[in-house]
Amino acid sequence: MLGSPSRFVRSWLTAVAVGSLLVGCGSSAEEPAGDEAKPAAKTDVTVEPIKASKELTDTNGVKVSLKKQPERIVCLFALCDDILTELGLVPTATNSTLLAHPDFLGEKKAKEVDVIPGGFIAPEVEAILSHKPDLVIGLGDTHGKLAPALRGATTFWAMQPETWEDSVGYLRDVAALTGRTAEGEKAERTFRTKLAEAEKTPSDKTALIIYGSDENFGVATPEGDVAASLFPKIADYPWKSRGVEGSYSLEEILAQGVDVLFVETMSFGDADGKLSGKLAGNPLWSKIPAVKSGDVHEVNPEVWAKGRGTRSLGIVLDEATAALR
């Protein structure tokens, strides 16, 4: 079955393969996928002015206070890299590979940015502090445990994005703290305009995003996955979160008649392996309309699953709308 893991497991899957291959039936504890959803509200393209500040309460209620505008920022997850790129900044160090994408810094320039050892789950504190950062930005449910070790040496900011609105909020917050207010407003306006344009002609096709590895996979739902939060605006996307224990069976997915599938391969024992290739051996998988018609799209997980910011989401919109035509 296709699982709907917690936010922590969602983050974990972006770095390591976990669990066992899910092939059973799903839970019915929560609302079924087919429940009629409320129409998504139209995107407002208005961008409020951003005011520079050294103190703020972020989009999720976390208070951030700095003595000066940060110049040396260490990114522990890709939303940070996305936001800095939008603002015309480069992180002092990162543990994401998003910057190598051609729509970010590109491979050559990305190699000039130091990489924090230890991986996504356990970045090394000593390595982080060796860069003398003014600000360290991490994912709350993964990197929050680092806060005590960083306290007193730098400011640690735990972000927890779940929807595209959260990502826009964080963009505005970082723009305020870095003084890059004009750049922040421009990036927000560009994204909002693109989303508003895409939702003018939504597809009548049923879409599905799945993510995972050769050992585990799950359904991305709008309540906790930033890329998936865009889809109710541009397609029929009937998938709802069922909590930590919930899941979707392949039978339910077949019943929804999925027309277009987007696949995020996170980690594979075979470096060239793809999640869609692994699932091809399951007879139920082959009956899904999208699979029958060849409308299965392996997408870049660095952008679709990890990026989360307005630049990444702009790429997601371009690729999704093209596939959904």
Side-chain angles (χ1 to χ4, degrees):
M1 61 187 170
L2 298 176
S4 182
S6 67
R7 292 175 301 178
F8 176 74
V9 175
R10 174 79 167 113
S11 304
W12 193 5
L13 277 169
T14 63
V16 295
V18 297
S20 58
L21 184 63
L22 304 173
V23 293
C25 63
S27 165
S28 59
E30 300 291 336
E31 295 178 87
D35 280 5
E36 187 176 348
K38 294 180 180 179
K42 296 298 182 183
T43 300
D44 186 356
V45 298
T46 304
V47 176
E48 297 296 331
I50 301 173
K51 183 179 180 181
S53 177
K54 291 183 288 188
E55 295 183 357
L56 55 78
T57 299
D58 76 15
T59 190
N60 273 339
V62 175
K63 293 183 179 180
V64 184
S65 178
L66 300 172
K67 294 180 180 179
K68 62 174 185 176
Q69 288 182 354
E71 297 177 358
R72 301 179 62 80
I73 302 175
V74 170
C75 292
L76 301 183
F77 80 126
L79 173 58
C80 173
D81 300 273
D82 187 300
I83 290 173
L84 294 190
T85 302
E86 289 283 67
L87 299 179
L89 300 170
V90 177
T92 300
T94 183
N95 62 359
S96 161
T97 60
L98 180 66
L99 294 176
H101 189 282
D103 287 334
F104 286 80
L105 296 185
E107 289 188 10
K108 185 177 180 181
K109 289 187 177 181
K111 289 179 180 178
E112 298 174 4
V113 181
D114 288 340
V115 176
I116 299 295
F120 175 72
I121 299 298
E124 295 180 6
V125 172
E126 288 186 4
I128 295 170
L129 294 178
S130 72
H131 292 283
K132 302 186 185 311
D134 303 313
L135 179 63
V136 177
I137 298 176
L139 182 62
D141 59 14
T142 303
H143 304 120
K145 60 183 180 294
L146 298 176
L150 297 173
R151 189 173 294 122
T154 187
T155 297
F156 174 68
W157 186 358
M159 294 182 175
Q160 196 64 58
E162 296 183 353
T163 65
W164 68 266
E165 291 96 335
D166 290 341
S167 293
V168 169
Y170 283 125
L171 168 72
R172 293 177 59 85
D173 293 336
V174 178
L177 288 175
T178 58
R180 298 278 178 145
T181 57
E183 291 86 349
E185 291 169 10
K186 180 181 178 181
E188 180 183 355
R189 186 175 296 106
T190 298
F191 172 72
R192 284 185 176 276
T193 301
K194 177 170 287 192
L195 180 54
E197 189 63 29
E199 70 184 6
K200 287 180 181 177
T201 54
S203 173
D204 60 1
K205 295 180 180 180
T206 299
L208 170 64
I209 304 172
I210 64 169
Y211 61 90
S213 67
D214 52 348
E215 296 183 353
N216 196 0
F217 59 96
V219 168
T221 61
E223 297 85 355
D225 182 280
V226 178
S229 73
L230 300 173
F231 272 69
K233 289 179 170 289
I234 62 173
D236 176 24
Y237 202 81
W239 320 101
K240 297 181 180 180
S241 173
R242 290 179 168 179
V244 176
E245 302 300 330
S247 56
Y248 284 103
S249 68
L250 284 175
E251 288 85 355
E252 287 178 292
I253 291 170
L254 279 171
Q256 288 297 324
V258 176
D259 300 303
V260 185
L261 262 166
F262 300 95
V263 184
E264 303 167 355
T265 299
M266 301 295 189
S267 178
F268 237 78
D270 178 355
D272 296 324
K274 298 294 183 183
L275 177 58
S276 56
K278 177 72 174 181
L279 294 172
N282 189 313
L284 289 177
W285 174 260
S286 65
K287 295 179 181 180
I288 297 172
V291 178
K292 282 185 175 182
S293 65
D295 222 344
V296 177
H297 305 267
E298 282 276 354
V299 296
N300 186 336
E302 298 300 320
V303 174
W304 276 64
K306 304 177 188 179
R308 298 183 175 99
T310 50
R311 182 164 298 203
S312 294
L313 295 178
I315 297 170
V316 170
L317 279 173
D318 287 341
E319 295 178 355
T321 52
L324 288 163
R325 289 194 184 109

